[in-house]
Amino acid sequence: FLLRNNQLRYFFKALEPLEKALRLDPNIDPAIHFALGQAYHMNLDWDKAITEYSKYQKIAMSNPDPRVMEELKMHIDHCYHGKELVKKPIRVFIDNLGENINTEFNEYGAVISADESIMMFTARRPNSTGGKIDPSLNEHFEDIYISEKQANGSWTPSINMSEAVNSNNHDSNSGLSADGQKLLVYVGRSNLGDIFESKLEGNEWGKLEDLGKNINTKFHESSACYSPDGNSLYFVSDQPGGLGDHDIYISYKDEKGKWGPAANLGSTINTKYAEEGVFMHPDGKTLYFSSQGHKSMGGFDIFKSVYDDKTKIWSTPENIGYPVNTPGDDVFFV
């Protein structure tokens, strides 16, 4: 289950008016070349995107902020990666889960129980707890919803989970334990965003519990997952001392059941760009995560890396391929 970012839709619509504007006035603001590059990029027109990005290069080089040129170079690299990835598409079927799950609003970040009978996901809907709108995004606050799989394979109409896990701020599901008894929840009201845990008590999910200072800082902890045995926690944070925007960390449970000091997974996994949406496979060694770095074809792409118990080394992250990955943001793969 993954997120297809809405940006793709807007770039599809933007291409024609951008092309028309340039035809009508070739001396228009040169920033149009960057916008055109993005539009061609999102439409998988790699060569035209590279051409337009390159036309913007002089403007980027004259900007005193080096991040402008760095971002442009990243977009061009993404295009070259994309050209190669679409030559060898992977054989997959991507099906929409239907109107009981998906609506006109945003749904994303699904987690699923081991027996595939229960799914929880994040959505921004009018019936969120409190019914409020985030003024910074002009969208409804996030809440967690749940659905059950029926005998015919379809999903029941999703319902908002209890106020034990949802508040009138941002609440987003993140990871589900292998036994389905513990749920990791991103809570937006705490610091810049923290990870909490809810435990299943009979048929009800319990009150959220803070995972402690070794996980949650005054910075942004955005997503997390358990190891299959529940003794390790992988999570994403932008705390100081990392290698980039957001990095992936690991914490081990001590003999008292508390989470120990977090360790950065290192430069094989983390880049100078953002990593997000971490998920450990049930085999306990294959890590799936999204990254703007490595060999992304645009935005966040989903990668996998395998840990070698003998060498204690992660393998070079591998882009899992097109059409699972696109030029837009592809995140929260489980």
Side-chain angles (χ1 to χ4, degrees), residues 117-137:
S117 65
I118 300 291
M119 178 171 58
M120 301 171 211
F121 60 92
T122 303
R124 294 176 178 269
R125 296 177 178 173
N127 68 338
S128 64
T129 306
K132 295 182 178 179
I133 289 180
D134 184 339
S136 64
L137 297 172

Side-chain angles (χ1 to χ4, degrees), residues 36 116 187 239 252 284:
L36 261 173
E116 300 184 22
V187 176
Q239 61 187 268
Y252 300 97

